[in-house]
Amino acid sequence: MFKNHPKGLIPAALSNMGERFGYYIMNAVLVLFLCSKFGLKEETSAIVYSCFYAGIYVLSLVGGLIADRTQNYKGTIIWGLIVMTLGYVILAIPIFATAENQVWLLTLTCFSLFMIAFGNGLFKGNLQAIVGQLYDNPRYASQRDAGFQIFYVFINIGGVLAPFVAPMLRSWWLGENGLAYNASLPALCHEYLTLTDSMDTQNLNNLYALITQVGGDAAGNISEFCTTYLNVFNTGIHYSFIASVAAMLISLSIFLFTKGMLPSPARKEKEEKASYTAEEKARMASEIKQRMYALFAVLGIAIFFWFSFHQNGTSLSLFARDFVKTDSVSPEIWQALNPFYVIILTPFVMMFFSWLGRRGKTISTPRKIGIGMGLAGIAYLFLVVFSAIEGYPSADAFKALPAAVAEGMKTGPWVLFVLYFFLTVAELFISPLGLSFVSKVAPKHLQGLCQGLWLGATAVGNLLLWIGPLIYNACPIWVAWTVFLGVCFVSMGVMFAMVNWLERVTK
């Protein structure tokens, strides 16, 4: 698996593991955390989530420009890790949200999210650009796709562990305070503290039942219980960000100790400039233009993939909380399925591609991306059929049902295993190979910027993430899944229509 790969690949992948650890904690908890801490509506939390994740990727353009202008890729990466760490430090401070401090505390939380996004922008695209530089050496050029797949496996190791951290610490802290976890209780507590006597009768009855279930006294002071439960519940989540700080510091240490094994694009660029004649540069201009057209075509497809795939942090996360039985497993933990599948399935995907290559049936990178869009569509086709058969209503209508009725309608976790299997295989056909495609077509003096453009396309897709929860809460949920099904299959068709042109450009 590691044969014929440059020695800097593994250190680069290990340096990225801390960032992924923090990413997957945020991916698992952010929407639910904003709801439980501030009492925000799910649609509002999804907008914050969308802006944050768009910021992570669009700021990679800024990070790429900074690195390309200064030709100091490694220094930019180091500052990115430092800024991200400071953002997580702010999030780790457990301050209880009240009516008096809600505005400035939510503002501080959003500022810390901006710091994480900006630090990620300095870090992510530039590290990927350096990985691409490793494979500019003709000795390793044929292993570029496989190298990015290995890189992708390593950075997902942190993603397997991260989703367990917040639920574990939250449950531990609740237990220390004589309470138990329930996913539905924070929303009811916020509703009671806001409405009290005018709270819906059914929701009030559900609140009383859940208070007893988690170890409280439904005959006691309900306002006091709700305040205590929310404080303890969210403090446990704050503690998980301490783990993110530790992971970021580990990644920073690894990068500082191993950066000598990674290429220095600034020195390489100077050498290449000296070797190009005016005539050679003129001949390259047309090719560079075609390659940039190809890059933007694939970026357009990537937008719609990430719009669909990153529902795992919004509507799919809400689906795991609302419609899946989570008696023994917190809904955030299901986020570990995706990185787990990445680690398990990547060797098989690589062996499959290698097997095809040995038989002269190599699949081009653009064709792989088109297949990946089809696989993502299959994941949502499964959800459409399942949700329609079960007759699931909108999430708002479902949560208004009596607790016993809603519990009886919930499905088992097997649905999430099937869903994330197909989404992960789709990701393996698109994300690491998309990074490889960018590193192939990008002009050598714009490596950081072009990796930033790939992440910028992801940002555009993330800006649309709020649409999922909006439809999920307003319509029968199969309607929401149908939207993503259509997006994936249409994108697949467009990609296959362009594939011959893309293959010619990237030869």
Side-chain angles (χ1 to χ4, degrees):
M1 183 175 178
F2 304 111
K3 187 178 180 180
N4 298 324
H5 289 280
K7 64 179 182 179
L9 175 63
I10 303 305
L14 292 173
S15 298
N16 207 19
M17 281 177 59
E19 180 271 328
R20 290 288 89 182
F21 185 89
Y23 170 90
Y24 275 101
I25 285 181
M26 294 299 292
N27 191 55
V29 308
L30 184 56
V31 169
L32 302 180
F33 171 64
L34 291 172
C35 291
S36 65
K37 184 172 180 67
F38 297 104
L40 300 181
K41 292 183 178 180
E42 289 165 2
E43 295 87 345
T44 305
S45 295
I47 291 173
V48 176
Y49 178 96
S50 297
C51 292
F52 170 60
Y53 277 95
I56 282 179
Y57 294 98
V58 78
L59 288 170
S60 293
L61 284 169
V62 178
L65 283 169
I66 290 172
D68 285 334
R69 286 286 183 89
T70 63
Q71 290 292 282
N72 185 10
Y73 290 80
K74 294 179 182 178
T76 307
I77 288 169
I78 290 168
W79 273 109
L81 288 167
I82 292 171
V83 173
M84 277 191 284
T85 302
L86 293 175
Y88 283 117
V89 168
I90 296 173
L91 280 181
I93 302 172
I95 304 173
F96 181 63
T98 65
E100 291 73 24
N101 70 8
Q102 174 118 338
V103 173
W104 71 259
L105 186 56
L106 182 56
T107 302
L108 179 64
T109 299
C110 290
F111 175 72
S112 67
L113 294 175
F114 171 78
M115 290 185 68
I116 294 169
F118 182 62
N120 202 297
L122 296 173
F123 170 81
K124 190 176 179 68
N126 291 313
L127 184 63
Q128 290 169 182
I130 284 180
V131 173
Q133 292 274 345
L134 290 170
Y135 290 89
D136 285 345
N137 186 328
R139 177 183 174 186
Y140 305 116
S142 64
Q143 296 295 315
R144 187 183 296 266
D145 279 6
F148 273 98
Q149 287 175 314
I150 293 171
F151 180 74
Y152 212 66
V153 167
F154 270 78
I155 64 177
N156 275 276
I157 293 174
V160 171
L161 302 175
F164 291 88
V165 173
M168 179 184 68
L169 291 173
R170 181 184 57 209
S171 295
W172 164 74
W173 191 240
L174 283 166
E176 288 292 304
N177 288 270
L179 298 168
Y181 167 77
N182 184 276
S184 303
L185 189 50
L188 292 172
C189 287
H190 276 294
E191 185 177 352
Y192 183 86
L193 292 174
T194 303
L195 301 176
T196 313
D197 294 335
S198 58
M199 186 174 178
D200 178 81
T201 302
Q202 184 58 62
N203 287 350
L204 190 61
N205 290 336
N206 289 342
L207 174 63
Y208 291 152
L210 292 179
I211 289 175
T212 303
Q213 182 179 319
V214 301
D217 181 9
N221 188 322
I222 303 300
S223 293
E224 182 179 337
F225 171 85
C226 288
T227 300
T228 299
Y229 191 82
L230 289 172
N231 188 20
V232 174
F233 188 97
N234 291 305
T235 296
I237 300 177
H238 279 291
Y239 290 159
S240 67
F241 297 123
I242 298 175
S244 295
V245 172
M248 296 303 301
L249 292 175
I250 291 171
S251 281
L252 178 60
S253 300
I254 291 172
F255 187 80
L256 289 172
F257 280 110
T258 63
K259 64 179 182 177
M261 301 173 64
L262 300 172
S264 297
R267 289 198 297 271
K268 183 174 183 179
E269 179 63 19
K270 288 177 183 176
E271 292 169 5
E272 289 175 346
K273 282 183 178 178
S275 65
Y276 290 150
T277 66
E279 184 179 349
E280 287 172 333
K281 288 181 180 178
R283 286 201 304 266
M284 290 168 59
S286 177
E287 180 185 350
I288 289 175
K289 185 183 294 186
Q290 287 297 312
R291 285 174 174 266
M292 292 303 292
Y293 287 155
L295 173 61
F296 279 101
V298 173
L299 293 180
I301 299 299
I303 288 172
F304 295 105
F305 172 72
W306 294 117
F307 166 55
S308 303
F309 180 80
H310 278 158
Q311 291 298 318
N312 61 349
T314 53
S315 58
L316 293 179
S317 184
L318 297 173
F319 175 75
R321 183 197 66 185
D322 298 333
F323 289 91
V324 178
K325 295 177 182 178
T326 56
D327 300 334
S328 56
V329 180
S330 300
E332 298 93 339
I333 288 178
W334 297 113
Q335 295 293 324
L337 280 177
N338 170 239
F340 172 76
Y341 277 143
V342 167
I343 294 169
I344 297 299
L345 295 176
T346 296
F348 294 101
V349 172
M350 291 177 64
M351 286 189 290
F352 174 68
F353 291 153
S354 178
W355 179 79
L356 288 176
R358 289 194 300 271
R359 282 155 180 77
K361 300 178 180 179
T362 301
I363 303 176
S364 68
T365 301
R367 199 172 294 273
K368 290 173 184 175
I369 293 173
I371 294 171
M373 290 304 303
L375 291 169
I378 290 173
Y380 281 106
L381 176 62
F382 162 72
L383 269 190
V384 168
V385 173
F386 175 79
S387 299
I389 291 174
E390 292 294 320
Y392 285 147
S394 69
D396 281 348
F398 185 79
K399 286 180 283 189
L401 296 172
V405 174
E407 189 65 27
M409 294 177 64
K410 290 184 178 182
T411 186
W414 68 270
V415 173
L416 299 176
F417 280 93
V418 174
L419 169 68
Y420 281 110
F421 174 83
F422 283 105
L423 281 179
T424 302
V425 177
E427 181 188 12
L428 293 176
F429 272 72
I430 295 175
S431 187
L433 300 177
L435 298 178
S436 175
F437 179 83
V438 173
S439 72
K440 287 178 185 176
V441 302
K444 297 190 187 313
H445 63 292
L446 295 176
Q447 287 283 334
L449 176 61
C450 288
Q451 289 290 347
L453 285 171
W454 169 262
L455 299 173
T458 310
V460 177
N462 287 346
L463 275 176
L464 304 174
L465 293 178
W466 58 272
I467 295 174
L470 185 66
I471 304 173
Y472 170 84
N473 281 322
C475 305
I477 61 173
W478 67 265
V479 176
W481 313 142
T482 300
V483 170
F484 302 118
L485 166 65
V487 164
C488 291
F489 280 163
V490 169
S491 298
M492 177 187 67
V494 172
M495 190 68 192
F496 279 125
M498 299 188 299
V499 76
N500 290 333
W501 166 61
L502 292 172
E503 288 174 344
R504 287 196 304 271
V505 171
T506 54
K507 279 183 179 178

